[in-house]
Amino acid sequence: MVSAIIVAAGKGTRMGPDVDKLFLPVAGRPLVAHTWRRFDAAPGVDEIILVVRDGMQGAFAEMAAEYGFKKPHRLVAGGKERQDSVWNGLQALAPAAEIVAIQDGARPCTAPAVIAATIAAARETGAAVAAQRVTDTIKESDGGALVARHIDRARLWAVQTPQTFRVPVIRRALQTVRERGLLVTDDTAACELIGQPVKLVESAAPNPKVTTLSDVPYIELLLQREAA
Amino acid sequence: MVSAIIVAAGKGTRMGPDVDKLFLPVAGRPLVAHTWRRFDAAPGVDEIILVVRDGMQGAFAEMAAEYGFKKPHRLVAGGKERQDSVWNGLQALAPAAEIVAIQDGARPCTAPAVIAATIAAARETGAAVAAQRVTDTIKESDGGALVARHIDRARLWAVQTPQTFRVPVIRRALQTVRERGLLVTDDTAACELIGQPVKLVESAAPNPKVTTLSDVPYIELLLQREAA
């Protein structure tokens, strides 16, 4: 059995206190409804756990009805940090869940083939992440405004979501993070802590995340082109 | 005196042999005409050197007439590699040129403020480059499909153009590259070879380059929004 956790508890503070980026209308629906639809439609996914902010449960319940999402889903309260939200999501998985795909709520364009490929790779390796090769020329600064050195981009990948795991692997990895009082920016970083190899799964199509309002028009364009 | 070199000699082989990306119609004009317009309109720039493929001189001359570009410009033949094209451009600068801004022909959205800021920084430091902070989570692979390590992105910048220099600095830097028979992917890498500090100038607005056809719709969106 495969579960998905959609992390939709972020406050999106980079957009200001009054904007909840997950509910921005994009290509005719709230942003997070596009993300949810991806997993509702993904053939290999059996259930969906949505980790949401307290007080937003009603909005998500309405969304399920309005867009006719079909798969079993459960709402779970978010935690203080992203890793706490993921942890809460893991507690809510069906007992039979073997694989879990963890997705940013604000990343609405993930291709079905990429979801499927991370699931297959996680079955095989234990952990897998959607990623794209870095195509920009990259420099490391000296900490200020001067270039300190050139970084060879040949081996660099920008990682995205889904980040997909055998359930015991991510449980053990995040347990380790919690015991050591660490803060990790993504779930594969937790795997690195326990020596769990992580497979890179190339996203051929763009798979961007909304971080600031200036990201919205591009994502709207991608969603509209797909719908056309 | 400030000169600009627009490197417009690329064959754009990633788009197939029959597509010249510089002439793709984007927001009503050939892509490279947008780039040219930026520098034609930039207050601090006095002349423009276009480095073009052999056989394309007529197309650029027509473009100047059609879009009414006003600043003095000269066409120069491209070389084998990008660095050879830049070298050819440097040979064509007016003798009075003190500062040169080198721009990718396929990067049409560069903001006037960024052009001005790289010119000011190059006057002060000798070399400056438009750049954006890396916002993605970055991993280094093991050379295959596994994550080898997490890269701290706090000091990483994706570099763009313009890359702007005091003229003697970039001449000496590229002379060194040529004498040593090296290949550099960007002009600031040549500066690193001679120990010339390079200042990072933050591009606040998106400043993308067309590399593949899939980049075009986003760039069209940016150009249309600006025109609206």
Side-chain angles (χ1 to χ4, degrees):
Chain A
M1 176 177 178
V2 176
S3 305
I5 294 174
I6 297 178
V7 184
K11 291 172 290 290
T13 46
R14 278 189 259 192
M15 293 197 178
D18 297 328
V19 179
D20 188 336
K21 68 179 177 184
L22 293 164
F23 286 87
L24 284 173
V26 180
R29 335 182 141 187
L31 179 67
V32 70
H34 291 281
T35 312
W36 189 348
R37 188 186 64 76
R38 299 276 164 193
F39 287 83
D40 195 65
V45 174
D46 303 299
E47 67 166 6
I48 297 167
I49 314 297
L50 295 126
V51 189
V52 308
R53 271 197 294 151
D54 225 25
M56 300 306 285
Q57 290 88 347
F60 281 90
E62 280 171 32
M63 207 184 291
E66 179 162 1
Y67 299 107
F69 295 134
K70 301 224 165 1
K71 286 187 186 162
H73 71 270
R74 285 189 289 291
L75 301 177
V76 172
K80 182 161 178 280
E81 301 291 343
R82 185 183 191 286
Q83 67 195 38
D84 304 316
S85 291
V86 172
W87 183 257
N88 293 356
L90 289 174
Q91 309 319 308
L93 298 183
E98 296 154 293
I99 301 286
V100 59
I102 301 171
Q103 176 78 4
D104 297 324
R107 198 180 292 275
C109 304
T110 309
V114 169
I115 297 173
T118 66
I119 291 170
R123 274 194 205 286
E124 181 198 320
T125 316
V129 56
Q132 277 180 316
R133 288 177 188 280
V134 170
T135 55
D136 290 325
T137 297
I138 303 290
K139 307 282 179 180
E140 185 176 337
S141 81
D142 64 351
L146 291 179
V147 173
R149 66 185 185 104
H150 182 78
I151 307 270
D152 179 12
R153 72 183 167 207
R155 294 186 172 195
L156 296 189
W157 293 75
V159 301
Q160 308 164 338
T161 64
Q163 305 200 347
T164 306
F165 308 92
R166 283 190 213 131
V167 171
V169 165
I170 187 63
R171 282 209 167 115
R172 190 156 56 86
L174 281 182
Q175 181 68 49
T176 304
V177 167
R178 295 167 70 85
E179 284 169 4
R180 298 194 195 167
L182 299 173
L183 198 62
V184 290
T185 52
D186 69 322
D187 303 309
T188 62
C191 288
E192 290 163 47
L193 277 180
I194 61 165
Q196 164 65 48
V198 178
K199 189 141 183 208
L200 295 157
V201 171
E202 188 159 10
S203 271
N207 183 17
K209 180 179 175 181
V210 173
T211 304
T212 70
L213 277 176
S214 68
D215 300 324
V216 172
Y218 175 48
I219 285 174
E220 182 140 48
L221 176 81
L222 292 173
L223 292 168
Q224 281 168 344
R225 286 168 74 202
E226 195 182 341
Chain B
M1 175 177 179
V2 176
S3 304
I5 294 174
I6 297 178
V7 184
K11 290 173 292 291
T13 46
R14 276 189 261 192
M15 293 197 179
D18 297 327
V19 179
D20 188 335
K21 68 178 175 182
L22 293 164
F23 286 86
L24 284 173
V26 181
R29 331 181 144 187
L31 180 67
V32 70
H34 291 281
T35 313
W36 189 348
R37 187 186 65 76
R38 299 275 166 194
F39 287 83
D40 195 64
V45 174
D46 302 300
E47 67 165 7
I48 297 167
I49 313 298
L50 294 127
V51 188
V52 308
R53 271 198 295 152
D54 225 24
M56 300 307 285
Q57 290 88 348
F60 281 90
E62 280 171 32
M63 206 184 293
E66 180 162 0
Y67 299 109
F69 296 136
K70 300 221 165 7
K71 285 185 185 163
H73 71 271
R74 285 190 290 291
L75 301 177
V76 172
K80 183 161 177 278
E81 302 291 345
R82 185 183 191 285
Q83 66 195 38
D84 304 316
S85 291
V86 172
W87 182 256
N88 292 355
L90 289 174
Q91 309 319 306
L93 298 184
E98 296 153 291
I99 301 286
V100 59
I102 302 170
Q103 175 78 5
D104 297 325
R107 199 180 293 274
C109 304
T110 309
V114 169
I115 298 173
T118 66
I119 291 170
R123 273 193 206 285
E124 180 199 319
T125 316
V129 57
Q132 276 180 315
R133 288 176 189 281
V134 170
T135 54
D136 291 324
T137 296
I138 303 292
K139 307 282 179 180
E140 185 175 338
S141 80
D142 64 349
L146 291 180
V147 172
R149 66 186 183 103
H150 181 79
I151 306 269
D152 178 13
R153 71 184 168 206
R155 293 185 172 196
L156 297 189
W157 293 74
V159 301
Q160 309 164 338
T161 64
Q163 306 201 347
T164 306
F165 308 92
R166 283 190 213 132
V167 171
V169 165
I170 187 64
R171 283 208 166 114
R172 188 156 57 88
L174 281 182
Q175 180 68 47
T176 303
V177 168
R178 294 166 71 84
E179 284 169 4
R180 297 195 196 166
L182 300 173
L183 199 61
V184 289
T185 52
D186 69 322
D187 303 310
T188 62
C191 287
E192 290 163 46
L193 277 179
I194 61 164
Q196 165 67 48
V198 177
K199 189 139 184 210
L200 295 157
V201 170
E202 188 159 10
S203 272
N207 183 17
K209 180 179 176 180
V210 173
T211 303
T212 70
L213 277 176
S214 67
D215 300 323
V216 173
Y218 176 48
I219 285 174
E220 181 141 49
L221 175 81
L222 292 174
L223 292 168
Q224 282 168 343
R225 286 168 74 203
E226 195 181 342

